Structures are given as structure tokens and as C-alpha cells.
Amino acid sequence: MTTGGFDPDDKSEGNQPRGSNGPEGGNRPGGEPQQGGPGSESGYPPPPPAGSTPPPGGYPPPPGNYPPPPGGNVPPPGGYPPPPGNYPPPPPISGEYGAGPAAQMNSPQLGVGAAVSYGFKKFGKNWTVWVGILLIAFVIQAILALVFPNGEADTSDWSAAVTASYTFWGIVGALVTTIVGWLIQAALVRGALFELDGNRPNIGSFFQFNNVGAVILACFLVGIMTTIGFFVFVIPGIVLVFLSWWTVQFVMDQNQDALTAIRSSFRTIWSHFGPLLGLAAVLVLLNIAGAILLLIGLLVTVPVTLIASTYAYRVVTGRYVSVPD
């Protein structure tokens, strides 16, 4: 027993401290916390008695600057202000081929006019490089013709010329010249793909490919098929040449193996046979016109037709097509 203040051994109601279950504490009897009153830490007013009706207009908000309740909050008049900071606008949506440095064309169309126009525009922006690579290809073929002449017999005698072409040196020369021609074709396709990606190729860009084996095998198989087609009848050979038109594009652009590239070319061109047949006919006529102009016109028509055909390949396969500058 203490002389004053609180005695922990005294259990009478008058001896209970504030905040206990006594009548003067901040808690109700039974240990339930008191929601209002001077002892409340929240500061909210006590709830209305049970069974009472709210006043007209509802109960007023509790005192203090409380944040709005989560969910269902009503924005202030005029909407919420923008967040602080000078944020840049979101980037535009890129094309499906995605990573090219140039913008994608808006819905590129498959058509003769669109393809030929695209070829002329791309060639016109980089014509010096294209003419240069064609001149290099011509010089390479001329050197091979000097190193591997078509036999030593008199070419006026047809049978002697044929016999000379089947000598060891003649066979090696024909094989080397043919393979080099295939690689030159692949290099030109590589340059056209650079144009479609929006990258103007330089001379070195044409030789940036490492699937040489697939290119040689694909061209060899296509050559065997078309040769058999021409021997059987001319029209099957022409059809096979047309259906295998994009074999090198599938090898170079999608890194397909030879057989897969041939199947892809056949399937893709067959599914768009009519429009592509018209485009192929126009491109052949352009190259014939270039050959008539003392072969100088081929320096223009070969790049234009190659870029145009690669444009059609990209449109049909749904891959990236850059906008002409």
C-alpha cells in the first residue's frame, strides 16, 4: 500500500489508471477501444448512435486534410494536373521488321508501278555505287574469260569447239566462271537488301554475306532443274525459272538452306502468280531495252530491276521495306 498515487496491488475501480478499463479511461469496459473523445488518437468524431438517421445532405466530412479514399474518387474540376517534369512524347510505333534505321513504308503495295518506281528512286540516290559494282563484275568476268578461254580450237568448226570445251581446262574454266557468276548474283541481291533496309550500300557492303555454301548449292540445284525443264520442253523451263526467282533472296535475307529456299520461292511466287508474272514480264522488257542501248542501259536497268524484284519479295513476305529518301 502506497501513501498516494497508484497502488498496483489495489484492484478497486477508483485506483485504475487512465487508459485502462476503468470509467475514467479512454477504453470502454470490456477492453474495446473508444473511437472518439479526448483520449482518441485518430481525432475522428464518434460515430452516430445506432438507429439514428443522417442529417439532410449527409454527414459532413471529418475534420482535417485527409487524403481521398482509394477507388471511386472523383477528379477535381478540370481534371488532374500533368505530372511534374518535361517528359518527351512517346516514340512512334515501329514496323514489323523492326530494327531498320529507316522508317517503314506505310502499307507498301505489290504492283508493277510501285515496284519499278521504288527501284528507280533507290537507284537514283546511290547510282554511282551500283554502276561501280557492275563495272567490277564486268572486269571479273573479262579476266575469267582471258584465263579460261573457250577452247583452243577454231570456233568456226562447231564440233571442234564443243570437243575443246570438254577438255580438263575447259571444264574447270566453265565451273569457275559459273560459280563466280552465282556469287556476283548473290552480291547484287545483298546490295538490294541493303537498299530495302534503308542503308545505302557501299562497294564492300555487297560482299557482306557468309552463307556462300548455301548460295552455291541453291543456284546449282536451280540450274539443274531449269536445264532439265528446257530440254524437256521450253515452257517448263521458263516456269521453273520464274518459280525459283527469289531463291537467292530467301537464302540471303532469311538465312535459309538451299532446299528450304527453293521451296519458299516456289510456294511464295505460286501464291501470287498473276501479279508477279506481270511484274517479271515488265522487268525482262526493261533489261531488253537496256541491252538494246549498246549495253550501257544495263548499268541502269539491272540495278533497277533487281531492287524492284527484291521490293516485291519483301512486300509479299511481309518483311521490312524502307521509305525512299
Side-chain angles (χ1 to χ4, degrees):
M1 184 94 182
T2 61
T3 57
F6 171 67
D7 184 3
D9 297 328
D10 189 356
K11 304 299 181 181
S12 63
E13 290 186 359
N15 191 47
Q16 297 300 319
R18 292 185 180 269
S20 64
N21 290 337
E24 296 182 4
N27 296 336
R28 295 179 180 179
E32 297 181 2
Q34 179 75 24
Q35 297 185 3
S40 175
E41 297 181 356
S42 64
Y44 285 98
S52 61
T53 57
Y59 292 105
N65 188 15
Y66 299 101
N73 54 329
V74 180
Y80 292 106
N86 188 16
Y87 297 99
I93 299 176
S94 60
E96 48 85 25
Y97 199 41
Q104 186 186 27
M105 289 188 65
N106 293 324
S107 300
Q109 300 298 319
L110 175 62
V112 175
V116 174
S117 174
Y118 188 91
F120 272 106
K121 289 179 180 178
K122 285 291 187 178
F123 170 75
K125 296 294 184 180
N126 202 24
W127 68 271
T128 55
V129 172
W130 279 100
V131 171
I133 193 66
L134 289 179
L135 292 177
I136 292 174
F138 174 78
V139 171
I140 293 175
Q141 295 285 8
I143 293 174
L144 291 177
L146 294 175
V147 175
F148 303 103
N150 293 326
E152 299 177 356
D154 185 5
T155 55
S156 61
D157 187 350
W158 182 82
S159 60
V162 171
T163 303
S165 65
Y166 281 98
T167 62
F168 174 77
W169 196 246
I171 294 175
V172 171
L175 183 61
V176 171
T177 303
T178 301
I179 293 177
V180 171
W182 292 340
L183 296 179
I184 290 176
Q185 178 188 359
L188 296 177
V189 170
R190 176 76 271 174
L193 291 171
F194 266 99
E195 296 283 6
L196 268 294
D197 289 337
N199 301 319
R200 295 183 185 178
N202 52 40
I203 296 297
S205 303
F206 288 84
F207 304 100
Q208 292 181 5
F209 58 92
N210 53 11
N211 45 358
V212 177
V215 170
I216 295 175
L217 181 58
C219 291
F220 173 76
L221 295 177
V222 169
I224 293 295
M225 288 189 302
T226 54
T227 301
I228 294 175
F230 278 110
F231 270 114
V232 172
F233 197 64
V234 176
I235 295 180
I238 296 175
V239 173
L240 289 175
V241 169
F242 174 62
L243 293 178
S244 60
W245 185 13
W246 290 340
T247 300
V248 178
Q249 274 85 348
F250 276 102
V251 173
M252 302 293 294
D253 191 33
Q254 303 190 33
N255 200 27
Q256 295 184 356
D257 61 84
L259 292 176
T260 304
I262 293 173
R263 288 195 299 265
S264 299
S265 179
F266 272 56
R267 181 174 59 251
T268 305
I269 293 177
W270 181 261
S271 62
H272 300 81
F273 193 91
L276 293 178
L277 181 62
L279 175 61
V282 170
L283 298 183
V284 169
L285 292 176
L286 281 176
N287 284 322
I288 292 175
I292 292 174
L293 298 175
L294 301 177
L295 300 180
I296 299 177
L298 291 176
L299 296 176
V300 176
T301 60
V302 168
V304 169
T305 56
L306 187 59
I307 295 173
S309 64
T310 307
Y311 164 88
Y313 151 78
R314 280 282 181 88
V315 172
V316 170
T317 56
R319 299 177 74 82
Y320 184 80
V321 177
S322 66
V323 179
D325 297 335

